[in-house]
């Protein structure tokens, strides 16, 4: 049941849904920034950064074939395994305004080691922007509740994921790596109450309003966490006292973003309802046509039977007439 986000590559940044990790990352990148994109893939997001931010992009990708495709959009591309402690040696004299890790950390054996190796590439105002799937998403919770856990081809439980994160463990990773947490956000995928109720019934739990509300909380509907990190702040400027700054905002706080999604869903539902009405009307027309066809067939059957009987009578009459004529001729 784990939702999988599979979308065609957007034509431009404006085509992206705000509830998309690429949108969330790119909108946080300043214009003309020098960006180190770790795990650049085929360059899909590199292109967005070039077009939207006029950024200078250095890409690093493990897959040689994808790295070759990324060369279309990156200024430089390096084919390296990020788990290799020497994978960034070729960039040792570079400094970057932004380093991106979009759905990368969960694929690594040693994510903390990589984060620690990024510090020399940062300036005081530089940021690391990353996205990580939320293993505590409502879909995974419900499956675990019924004793089910299975890897999938894509999504939160992608079979290539080596690490799984909740917001708590992700914050812990950031702290252990020696970074300051600037911002926490998330993309979301909610689950309908009807689906939640069905899973709860399997384990004998009543879907009360309070329980349903639990499965709609921000840390449950969060699909990917979006984090902004920076170099550690001086103790006098530490923001650790403002813990609420790093909590996930409630759904109402993002209604402008999510309202667009719901509006699209409503439009699609209206289209579906219209198609269903058309199908019902076509079904009624088909039934009427079948009834008319049956009536015509019965009528043709009656006509055919009547005409056949008349034909047989005519033939019989002709045969009797010829027979009588032959008898008269014979006697004469």
């Amino acid at each position: 049941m784990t939702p999988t986000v599979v979308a065609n590559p957007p034509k431009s940044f404006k085509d992206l849904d705000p509830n998309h990790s690429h949108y969330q990352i790119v909108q946080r990148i300043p214009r003309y920034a020098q960006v180190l994109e770790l795990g650049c893939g085929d360059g899909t997001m590199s292109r967005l950064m070039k077009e939207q931010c006029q950024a200078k992009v250095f890409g690093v990708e493990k897959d040689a074939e994808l790295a070759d495709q990324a060369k279309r959009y990156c200024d430089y591309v390096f084919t390296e395994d990020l788990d290799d402690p020497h994978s960034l040696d070729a960039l040792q004299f570079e400094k970057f305004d932004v380093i991106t890790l979009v759905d990368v950390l969960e694929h690594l054996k040693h994510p903390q080691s990589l984060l620690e190796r990024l510090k020399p590439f940062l300036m005081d105002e530089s940021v690391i922007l990353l996205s990580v799937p939320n293993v505590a998403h409502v879909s995974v919770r419900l499956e675990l509740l019924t004793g089910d856990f299975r890897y999938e081809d894509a999504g939160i439980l992608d079979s290539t994921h080596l690490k799984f994160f909740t917001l708590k463990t992700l914050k812990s990773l950031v702290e252990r790596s020696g970074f300051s947490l600037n911002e926490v956000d998330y993309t979301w995928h909610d689950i309908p109450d009807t689906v939640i109720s069905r899973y709860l019934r399997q384990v004998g739990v009543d879907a009360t309003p309070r329980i349903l509300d639990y499965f709609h909380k921000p840390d449950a509907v969060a699909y990917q966490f979006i984090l902004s990190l920076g170099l550690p702040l001086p103790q006098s400027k530490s923001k650790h006292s403002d813990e609420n700054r790093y909590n996930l905002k409630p759904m109402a706080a993002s209604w402008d973003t999510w309202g667009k999604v719901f509006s699209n869903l409503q439009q699609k539902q209206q289209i579906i309802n219209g198609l269903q009405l058309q199908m019902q009307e076509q079904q009624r027309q088909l039934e009427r046509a079948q009834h008319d066809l049956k009536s015509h067939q019965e009528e043709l059957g009656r006509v055919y039977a009547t005409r056949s009987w008349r034909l047989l009578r005519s033939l019989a009459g002709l045969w009797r007439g010829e027979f009588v004529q032959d008898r008269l001729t014979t006697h004469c």
Side-chain angles (χ1 to χ4, degrees):
M1 186 193 73
T2 307
T4 301
V5 181
V6 179
N8 294 325
K11 295 179 181 179
S12 68
F13 180 77
K14 295 180 180 179
D15 296 324
L16 274 176
D17 193 308
N19 188 38
H20 192 293
S21 61
H22 286 186
Y23 180 97
Q24 294 292 334
I25 296 294
V26 173
Q27 73 164 347
R28 289 172 165 83
I29 297 175
R31 183 163 293 188
Y32 310 120
Q34 179 154 295
V35 180
L36 174 58
E37 185 183 4
L38 301 177
C40 63
D42 63 359
T44 296
M45 201 179 81
S46 313
R47 176 171 60 84
L48 295 174
M49 290 189 290
K50 296 289 284 188
E51 294 175 355
Q52 181 67 15
C53 311
Q54 290 80 53
K56 184 176 183 180
V57 182
F58 292 67
V60 179
E61 172 56 44
K62 179 179 179 180
D63 188 303
E65 184 176 344
L66 292 177
D68 188 58
Q69 296 179 44
K71 292 177 181 178
R72 297 172 295 174
Y73 309 112
C74 296
D75 295 276
Y76 304 95
V77 179
F78 302 87
T79 305
E80 299 285 352
D81 181 351
L82 292 173
D83 270 319
D84 183 345
H86 301 289
S87 57
L88 303 178
D89 286 356
L91 298 167
Q92 59 182 321
F93 300 113
E94 295 290 342
K95 293 287 184 178
F96 297 94
D97 301 295
V98 179
I99 297 177
T100 66
L101 290 150
V102 179
D103 298 335
V104 171
L105 294 181
E106 65 272 18
H107 294 274
L108 301 179
K109 297 177 183 177
H110 310 291
Q112 181 176 334
S113 175
L114 174 63
L115 288 176
E116 291 172 347
R117 287 189 285 119
L118 296 181
K119 292 179 182 178
F121 301 103
L122 299 173
M123 298 172 285
D124 289 342
E125 300 301 321
S126 300
V127 294
I128 296 176
L129 300 175
L130 60 88
S131 65
V132 176
N134 174 26
V135 75
H137 185 263
V138 54
S139 61
V140 181
R141 296 186 189 193
L142 291 172
E143 290 178 345
L144 287 173
L145 189 65
T146 61
D148 190 16
F149 181 94
R150 65 188 70 185
Y151 286 99
E152 299 173 350
D153 293 334
I156 296 173
L157 301 181
D158 189 317
S159 59
T160 63
H161 290 178
L162 302 180
K163 303 289 183 180
F164 296 99
F165 296 95
T166 64
L167 182 57
K168 184 176 181 179
T169 59
L170 190 55
K171 288 180 178 179
S172 177
L173 173 64
V174 171
E175 183 178 348
R176 293 196 313 272
S177 302
F179 284 96
S180 172
L181 183 58
N182 300 328
E183 182 186 9
V184 178
D185 205 340
Y186 61 105
T187 64
W188 68 279
H189 275 276
D190 207 351
I191 301 295
D193 286 346
T194 53
V195 176
I196 297 173
S197 300
R198 187 172 71 245
Y199 273 80
L200 294 176
R201 285 196 299 270
Q202 294 182 39
V203 294
V205 177
D206 293 331
T208 64
R210 182 177 179 181
I211 291 178
L212 290 174
D213 181 64
Y214 169 80
F215 287 104
H216 293 297
K217 290 183 179 299
D219 61 342
V221 300
Y223 187 77
Q224 295 161 294
F225 297 118
I226 309 295
L227 269 62
S228 173
L229 317 180
L231 291 172
L233 295 172
Q235 191 65 30
S236 60
K237 297 182 180 179
S238 176
K239 300 178 182 178
H240 287 298
S241 59
D242 187 12
E243 283 299 323
N244 290 330
R245 177 185 180 87
Y246 308 131
N247 292 331
L248 297 180
K249 58 182 178 293
M251 293 181 69
S254 292
W255 186 252
D256 288 342
T257 296
W258 299 348
K260 177 182 177 182
V261 178
F262 286 126
S263 176
N264 290 338
L265 290 176
Q266 290 174 344
Q267 292 176 6
K268 291 178 181 178
Q269 186 61 50
Q270 291 174 355
I271 293 174
I272 292 173
N273 292 340
L275 292 173
Q276 288 176 338
L277 290 175
Q278 291 181 20
M279 290 177 63
Q280 292 173 0
E281 177 60 27
Q282 291 175 354
Q283 181 65 31
R284 287 193 290 267
Q285 292 179 5
L286 177 60
E287 291 174 354
R288 287 197 295 268
Q290 290 175 335
H291 179 269
D292 293 343
L293 177 61
K294 184 178 180 181
S295 298
H296 290 321
Q297 287 176 334
E298 291 175 351
E299 179 65 23
L300 286 173
R302 289 193 293 270
V303 171
Y304 177 77
T306 302
R307 289 181 177 178
S308 299
W309 176 245
R310 289 176 179 174
L311 178 61
L312 289 174
R313 290 182 61 186
S314 299
L315 291 175
L318 289 173
W319 180 81
R320 285 198 301 271
E322 292 177 356
F323 177 76
V324 171
Q325 184 65 35
D326 289 342
R327 292 287 299 269
L328 291 174
T329 303
T330 302
H331 285 295
C332 293

